[in-house]
Amino acid sequence: RYTNRTQVQTARGVEQFDQAVVGYNPTIIVRDLRGAVNQPNGKRVPVKKDHISDQASFASFELYADRRQRILAFPGVVPGATVEYSYELEIRNLFYLPDDFLFENVVPSRSLSFTVRAPAAFPLRTTAQGPVEYTREEQGPMVIHRWRRSDVPALRWEPDMPPLSDFGARVELHLDSILWDDLRIESGSWEGIGRWYWSLARDRMEPTAEVSAKARELTAGLSEPLEKIRRLYEFVQGRVNYVAIELGVGSFQPHASGDVLRNLYGDCKDKATLLIALMKAVGLVGQPVLILTRDSGAHDAGQPTPGFNHAVVAVPQPQGYLFLDPTSTTAPFGDLPWSDQGASALVVLDEGRSHYVVTPLHAGERNATRWTATATIGPDGALQGNYLMEAWGASRSAYAGFLDAAKPTERDDALAFLMSRLCPGAELIAQDLVPPEGPADPLRIRLRFRVPGFLVKAGATEVVAPHLVRFPDLGEMAIATVRRHTLFLPFLENESSEVRLYLPGGRVPRRIPGKIAVQGPGFEGTTTYELARDGERAVFVVRRSYALTQREIPTPDYAELRRVLTEFMAEESRAVSLAPPG
């Protein structure tokens, strides 16, 4: 049973709370849904049947699903009104038991409470996080658990916040055993959850004759196991379209590998199943992995739960596992999308043996971005030159996805984003995107540009701004003066730039700035300046690099990180005055 009463105080509140949504599926029945609006003048307006509608509830990546939602629209909501609604859910499959109650809200809450009544012998575990008051009461064979929190301030959102489940006050329920039709899930242990998934997927991972033939075709002429796996991975990644059909147990049970190959579509578990079957057909081993993507939170290793939202593949290696996500269209072989890194995962081994792991968080060196700029100041003071951007790992995936635009306007927006990282006033003349040929190769983007009026004259003094590559992402990290929440970065990364600025004939910098090196929580950065020569021409060389070495920066460390970032970014505003040599 659920009850909610919310007072609406602003026009924005009217837009946000003018309806309530109740989700359900074939194993959940919604009963006694009712609501009302208590207007500021004291009039109570009940919600009638014609204000209640029913519709399918699909995620954007789903072709079809059996989830639905009942929508209750509140009539006559104005600032000062109170909306209220309540309903009861009859849940016939406890796999879908609402198991997470959040004691946080986007608006202030006077009172939040969560009550669980269960037989004392019922196999139930509970965990609580944050400042929540708990009481336990025994009434005969029943145990009543209550959690409360009063006068809760509104949750304030910030950029680069961790998942809410990392820090929000909440209560979770864990069932040690769940019966789904005639199949029992021993959900009190990771092994039990692994056995359940194995029972669903085992037969589906067997290669058919067509799968075996395709595997032999794809690996013909190859002898190295990893090269064979790469070829199979890239086939599933590139040729099997992502389409999800979520019906009943089909939300968790993959389709047979032969069907996935024949239709060339499937969701994450289907793509993982096909890859495992292709590998098995040529004598290679891959294991299914259930994963909770890091953007959705993290599991407690000591509290087993079947609450995973993604499937990937693990390849046993001497030093652990090589994890592969064929659902990603941009992650090169051997890398993972950032949301798969540092994530809770369950590797399901043969016969359902399994163990809980945390996927690796790749070092920043694997997610490198390198900028090289060469430009010349002409006699008219205009700057003209070329940029070369090279990106590896997660950085490569980020740029590939951003530039893979279907419409010309989207591609123009992507290129404008790239230009924003460069010097102010830069005009794009030409561009070229060079896709990587192999998993270790970078994505390359070449830009030709021009900056009118680059050389500035102040009386007899000539001034140039030598920082032709800028790092605006760092500025965004430091934009807040204080933070309420941990700074959470998608992935560790290294970024570097080398600028070679050909100065006007007969000109050199009046002074070469010294090296700048800064270091703070999760950050290291350096800037160096040098004067070189190319024949008779002076070349001013600026090299910059930084490394993000820590995914999460706790709130107490943010002030120091911001200070260091500000110092590093301040170099970008440096100007250099020119003078004749001598």
Side-chain angles (χ1 to χ4, degrees), residues 103 112-114 128-136 145-150 169 171:
F103 286 84
L112 296 168
S113 64
F114 181 47
Q129 171 180 284
V132 182
E133 175 189 344
Y134 170 69
T135 60
R136 183 180 186 276
H145 307 268
R146 287 193 179 93
W147 295 266
R148 292 190 178 93
R149 193 178 180 200
S150 302
V171 171

Side-chain angles (χ1 to χ4, degrees), residues 279-303:
M279 292 171 59
K280 187 172 184 179
V282 290
L284 301 169
V285 176
Q287 306 293 159
V289 181
L290 304 178
I291 190 169
L292 178 67
T293 53
R294 188 63 187 91
D295 55 328
S296 298
H299 288 322
D300 179 348
Q303 296 292 342

Side-chain angles (χ1 to χ4, degrees), residues 30 55 126 201 261 271 336 339 369 380 410 445 469 492 520 522 562 582:
V30 182
Q55 66 182 35
T126 66
L261 178 63
K271 297 185 78 167
L336 286 173
S339 56
T369 305
D380 60 351
E410 293 175 348
I445 300 174
V469 178
L492 307 182
R562 184 173 186 267

Side-chain angles (χ1 to χ4, degrees), residues 456-463 510:
V456 177
K457 293 186 178 182
T461 304
E462 296 176 328
V463 178
R510 290 185 182 275

Side-chain angles (χ1 to χ4, degrees), residues 22 24 30 33 52-57 67-72:
V22 183
Y24 68 99
V30 182
L33 174 62
I52 300 176
S53 59
D54 201 277
Q55 66 182 35
S57 175
R67 294 187 306 277
R68 299 191 63 82
Q69 56 187 15
R70 201 152 292 166
I71 302 174
L72 184 152

